[in-house]
Amino acid sequence: MPLKEAHPFFSIITVCLNEPNLERTCESVVTQTCQDFEWLVIDGGSDEKALCIFEKYKKRMDYFISEKDNGVYHAMNKGILQSKGKYCNFMNAGDSFYMPDVLQKVAEFLKYYPEIDVLYGNTYIGAPRNSVVCPGRHKDLYEYFYRYTVGHQSSFIRRNCFLNYGMYDTNLIIASDYKYFLMLYKNGCIFKYFDNILAYIDNHGLSSDMKNINLMTQERRQIISEFYTSHEIACFEQKRRDFYKKCIYQKLRK
């Protein structure tokens, strides 16, 4: 087995706490055709069942810790602090890379466009939605961020961004990744869309839980008020109303 580079191209960070679909995540990481990555697992104190699954993959892990933390973003920050790769990806437990050649394709793309700070691609969302989210169809990313975000599972962030702009806001419970992407964009970081499905999300995570929808809405409103002017908010809201009116009109015509 060849010696790994001291500074791999990717840092794959996996956060976990008793995730039932953990093995799917692990398999999708270790079977990647591109192995120029380090794998850091930050477990929040899972039960014996999850720890036994991790034990099967310990040989491929570059860092593993299992201890109580203060939430998913605190755990993600712990992973960042241990990382050495050029780009970070957060493939948290339960989610997975869409195909075994995802890292190979992403590495080739990033080497062709070395100026990229954030590469983002498409995400397949599992049942009950069973649909693909393609953020690149929206030409104005700033306007897109007003309503949506890009999936951290399908994104690769230059590690220097965390050194230059800090890490995830642990005061937020659900929307800290949304805030971070928006903050990077507002600071002039270079975003580039990669038109491939990069990750599968099992749609049972924290932000997918119906009990957390109100909290997510509240956090997003707080973030929007921080990053968007009142004029921008009014403009985007008007566009939203116009869009819905158009959809209703087209339905009535049919």
Side-chain angles (χ1 to χ4, degrees):
M1 183 175 179
L3 293 174
K4 289 194 293 185
E5 295 290 335
H7 294 284
F9 198 71
F10 298 113
S11 291
I12 308 303
I13 299 170
T14 297
V15 168
C16 178
L17 180 60
N18 296 322
E19 169 54 49
N21 295 313
L22 172 59
E23 191 138 22
R24 179 174 62 199
T25 305
C26 295
E27 279 294 312
S28 84
V29 172
V30 301
T31 58
Q32 286 296 302
T33 55
C34 169
Q35 288 287 308
D36 189 7
F37 67 86
E38 60 175 358
W39 185 22
L40 305 99
V41 176
I42 315 297
D43 182 76
S46 291
D47 58 25
E48 194 64 28
K49 182 179 179 181
L51 294 179
C52 284
I53 293 173
F54 278 136
E55 193 63 35
K56 294 168 57 178
Y57 299 92
K58 277 279 186 73
K59 289 183 179 179
R60 183 58 187 88
M61 295 178 191
D62 297 87
Y63 181 83
F64 176 85
I65 191 170
S66 182
E67 63 181 15
K68 186 174 175 57
D69 53 50
N70 296 321
V72 63
Y73 296 113
H74 178 227
M76 289 164 68
N77 287 344
K78 286 164 67 175
I80 294 166
L81 290 172
Q82 296 294 331
S83 66
K84 299 181 180 67
K86 189 171 184 179
Y87 288 90
C88 292
N89 168 270
F90 299 91
M91 190 54 64
N92 293 341
D95 303 322
S96 55
F97 290 112
Y98 191 68
M99 296 292 285
D101 62 351
V102 165
L103 291 185
Q104 186 69 47
K105 289 181 177 179
V106 171
E108 292 171 0
F109 193 79
L110 287 170
K111 289 172 182 176
Y112 190 79
Y113 296 99
E115 72 280 5
I116 294 175
D117 293 309
V118 180
L119 176 148
Y120 62 102
N122 304 329
T123 305
Y124 186 95
I125 300 178
R129 286 183 59 177
N130 292 317
S131 61
V132 178
V133 177
C134 303
R137 293 176 180 173
H138 301 259
K139 294 182 180 179
D140 187 341
L141 188 57
Y142 186 53
E143 183 175 348
Y144 180 81
F145 275 138
Y146 178 76
R147 296 181 61 187
Y148 310 104
T149 188
V150 296
H152 62 244
Q153 302 91 337
S154 301
S155 302
F156 293 79
I157 305 171
R158 189 186 296 274
R159 191 170 67 91
N160 280 350
C161 289
F162 297 107
L163 300 177
N164 295 332
Y165 302 106
M167 295 184 288
Y168 292 103
D169 183 352
T170 56
N171 292 313
L172 297 170
I173 297 173
I174 295 178
S176 192
D177 50 331
Y178 168 61
K179 178 180 180 179
Y180 198 78
F181 283 125
L182 191 48
M183 182 270 293
L184 291 181
Y185 184 86
K186 291 282 282 188
N187 276 281
C189 291
I190 298 173
F191 282 68
K192 185 76 172 178
Y193 173 59
F194 184 45
D195 191 10
N196 279 261
I197 303 176
L198 303 182
Y200 171 91
I201 297 178
D202 73 356
N203 206 29
H204 292 93
L206 186 66
S207 61
S208 302
D209 190 333
M210 288 302 295
K211 293 182 293 185
N212 293 318
I213 294 297
N214 288 338
L215 177 58
M216 180 171 64
T217 301
Q218 179 182 336
E219 289 188 351
R220 284 180 62 91
R221 284 175 178 168
Q222 174 187 331
I223 294 163
I224 286 171
S225 66
E226 182 179 345
F227 286 95
Y228 291 87
T229 67
S230 56
H231 174 74
E232 289 170 336
I233 291 172
C235 178
F236 293 148
E237 284 297 325
Q238 184 60 51
K239 283 188 176 183
R240 188 207 298 258
R241 288 191 290 270
D242 292 343
F243 173 77
Y244 286 135
K245 286 179 182 177
K246 182 178 179 181
C247 290
I248 293 170
Y249 176 73
Q250 289 175 342
K251 286 182 179 180
L252 290 174
R253 287 193 64 184
K254 291 179 181 179

